[in-house]
Amino acid sequence: MVKDMTRGRPLSVILLFFAPLVLGNLFQQLYSMADTLIVGRFVGVGALAGVGSTGSLSFLVLGFVSGVCSGYSIPVAQYFGAGNHQRMRRCVGNAVLQGAVIASLLTTVTVAGARQVLTWMDTPPDILEDAYLYIVIVFGGIPATMLYNFLSGVLRALGDSRTPLFFLVAAAILNVVLDLVFILCCGMGVAGAAWATILSQGVSGLLCLVYIWKKVPLLHLGREDLGWDREEQRRLALMGIPMALQFSITAVGTIIIQAAVNALGSGVVAAVTAGTKVQNLLMSPLETMGITMATYCGQNLGAERVDRVRAGLRASMKVCFLYCALACLVSCLWGGPFSRLFLTGEDTGVMVAQAARFLAVNGIFCPSLGLLLVLRNSIQGLGFGLPAMMAGVFELVARSAVAFCLVGPLGYLAICLANPAAWLAADALLAAVWFRELPGLLRRYPVDPGRPLY
């Protein structure tokens, strides 16, 4: 069901789009949590550390995929907001062509180079084989991952955040079932977890495709829509590639930190893995608000309603800061018990304490993450892809500084401080960009005093 986000009260429109999307993101976290929980409980801490040690590398590549698809959805949202459906279909058709090329290249390169990169990351020898087996299967499923991310992004660009939720629920349930079958019944270990993830992702992508074919005639592409359009290819690349690089640049920083974690031993790797899983679940609503604002800003820019963009940003930040207070409380008080779900073995108590410390430090700084996600996605929705990418560079520099300068003297505390340092550095840039660019947009699209906000 398409939704025009250029009408109605900004807060109401944002929350109606946000609600099903946050449920979808929570279910998406279940993909990863199911792997971690089942692997940690039924295969062992070593296997859990192997899967966890690939997290930053997976984020590097799959974040690139997600960034490309998010970038493609921005011009789609802008065309939809402007009411130019013919050009919108042309844009979607060219995104299909460009995305297919990127997916093919990424799959080939990452599958071929996965082992070497894990070696460069100083992955502990006792978990190297599990790490390689898991990540090479995940990278082989890049086309399935890109299919879902692209189609769900296009549906969200048209204001439909409900349909991708239904397919994610189905995929999450399938993922858990396949995890249990492949690991417990078939004894496939970490390979079973990887296969469960990519098969579930592929099913959700195919369900999106069938739904669009049957229910969304607005997105039915003709032969003319699939013709190579140089101008559209350029626009898609200018939006998709910077957003993809922003994810990947951020991931390079996490790889540097992961290498520092790896050097502290597999027990610390397992503790940080468990803490990160809990943190990702808690911070998922903030990420969702960011995705919501990208679509909201894109549609309203297409409709030349910069006044609604400004009002929407204020409303979304209030929601984020209220949620951050709750997330901080949960992280500080119950981070340890939640982390224990993923950990077993003789040193469980030590690992739980380390995971709880990680969560408490990151929880205190979660308002800076909320500001980062809302500002970055809003700026991207307005068409400013380069500043969003540069925010990733700021995150990389901050994480690298922590890894090279603080891990030695501070040890594990530096690992806990790496994310907050990156968030604060990116916030400084994005706030400056917002206050610099907003006056220019208001001059370009002046507000009509007689036109109501909603």
Side-chain angles (χ1 to χ4, degrees):
M1 180 181 68
V2 300
K3 171 66 176 176
D4 185 351
M5 302 180 76
T6 66
R7 297 181 177 88
R9 292 180 181 272
L11 180 58
S12 299
V13 169
I14 288 169
L15 291 179
L16 284 173
F17 186 91
F18 169 83
L21 193 59
V22 73
L23 291 175
N25 267 4
L26 290 173
F27 272 101
Q28 199 161 25
Q29 293 299 326
L30 287 177
Y31 275 121
S32 181
M33 290 187 70
D35 289 341
T36 306
L37 183 60
I38 295 172
V39 169
R41 286 288 176 179
F42 299 110
V43 185
V45 171
L48 171 64
V51 172
S53 69
T54 68
S56 54
L57 180 56
S58 177
F59 180 38
L60 172 68
V61 177
L62 301 186
F64 187 94
V65 171
S66 178
V68 166
C69 295
S70 296
Y72 289 167
S73 70
I74 298 302
V76 175
Q78 291 173 352
Y79 283 133
F80 180 75
N84 192 343
H85 297 164
Q86 180 179 2
R87 199 66 189 172
M88 181 191 72
R89 284 189 290 271
R90 184 78 165 172
C91 178
V92 172
N94 275 263
V96 170
L97 299 176
Q98 192 176 113
V101 173
I102 290 174
S104 299
L105 290 174
L106 272 180
T107 303
T108 302
V109 171
T110 56
V111 168
R115 182 179 290 276
Q116 185 60 58
V117 174
L118 288 171
T119 303
W120 287 340
M121 290 172 60
D122 197 24
T123 304
D126 58 325
I127 61 175
L128 177 60
E129 291 305 316
D130 279 337
Y132 172 73
L133 184 58
Y134 181 83
I135 201 64
V136 78
I137 295 172
V138 169
F139 284 165
I142 284 175
T145 302
M146 194 158 195
L147 176 67
Y148 173 75
N149 277 276
F150 173 66
L151 294 179
S152 61
V154 169
L155 287 172
R156 286 195 296 267
L158 273 58
D160 183 0
S161 59
R162 295 182 183 180
T163 301
L165 165 65
F166 299 144
F167 300 146
L168 265 179
V169 170
I173 294 172
L174 177 62
N175 187 66
V176 173
V177 171
L178 291 178
D179 268 331
L180 294 172
V181 170
F182 291 159
I183 292 175
L184 296 184
C185 299
C186 302
M188 294 173 64
V190 296
W195 278 112
T197 297
I198 64 169
L199 288 174
S200 302
Q201 195 86 52
V203 167
S204 60
L206 290 174
L207 289 173
C208 279
L209 186 62
V210 171
Y211 174 82
I212 288 172
W213 181 255
K214 290 182 174 293
K215 300 293 185 179
V216 193
L218 193 62
L219 289 175
H220 288 181
L221 306 182
R223 182 175 298 179
E224 67 280 2
D225 299 317
L226 291 168
W228 190 271
D229 186 316
R230 182 176 297 179
E231 182 58 33
E232 284 299 337
Q233 289 291 331
R234 177 179 175 276
R235 187 177 186 191
L236 287 163
L238 286 174
M239 287 305 304
I241 300 303
M243 288 183 72
L245 290 175
Q246 167 240 304
F247 276 89
S248 293
I249 290 169
T250 302
V252 171
T254 65
I255 287 177
I256 293 172
I257 292 297
Q258 184 66 55
V261 173
N262 290 346
L264 297 177
S266 57
V268 174
V269 174
V272 173
T273 298
T276 300
K277 295 299 181 185
V278 177
Q279 177 182 275
N280 288 345
L281 184 62
L282 284 173
M283 302 306 170
S284 178
L286 300 179
E287 181 182 352
T288 304
M289 183 58 76
I291 296 170
T292 299
M293 289 306 296
T295 300
Y296 175 85
C297 291
Q299 284 197 17
N300 280 281
L301 181 70
E304 302 183 1
R305 295 300 309 271
V306 180
D307 54 335
R308 286 179 57 83
V309 170
R310 182 170 52 184
L313 181 76
R314 292 171 179 169
S316 65
M317 287 310 310
K318 291 177 182 178
V319 173
C320 277
F321 287 150
L322 285 173
Y323 176 78
C324 283
L326 174 62
C328 179
L329 184 66
V330 173
S331 295
C332 293
L333 296 182
W334 297 291
F338 285 134
S339 300
R340 188 180 293 275
L341 295 172
F342 303 98
L343 298 166
T344 58
E346 296 180 359
D347 297 326
T348 299
V350 174
M351 290 186 289
V352 168
Q354 290 172 329
R357 189 181 184 190
F358 176 87
L359 284 165
V361 173
N362 282 260
I364 291 170
F365 286 93
C366 71
S368 61
L369 177 61
L371 180 62
L372 164 61
L373 292 170
V374 170
L375 273 182
R376 178 158 60 197
N377 282 276
S378 297
I379 288 169
Q380 289 169 338
L382 296 174
F384 300 108
L386 184 59
M389 184 183 74
M390 290 307 299
V393 174
F394 274 52
E395 289 186 76
L396 169 62
V397 171
R399 283 196 175 94
S400 299
V402 170
F404 291 122
C405 302
L406 297 182
V407 170
L410 297 182
Y412 183 71
L413 178 60
I415 302 300
C416 300
L417 291 171
N419 285 333
W423 301 338
L424 291 170
D427 282 339
L429 172 66
L430 291 169
V433 170
W434 175 262
F435 288 113
R436 184 193 68 191
E437 296 295 346
L438 183 61
L441 288 172
L442 289 170
R443 287 192 297 269
R444 184 177 176 185
Y445 306 109
V447 177
D448 182 356
R451 188 177 186 183
L453 185 64
Y454 48 84

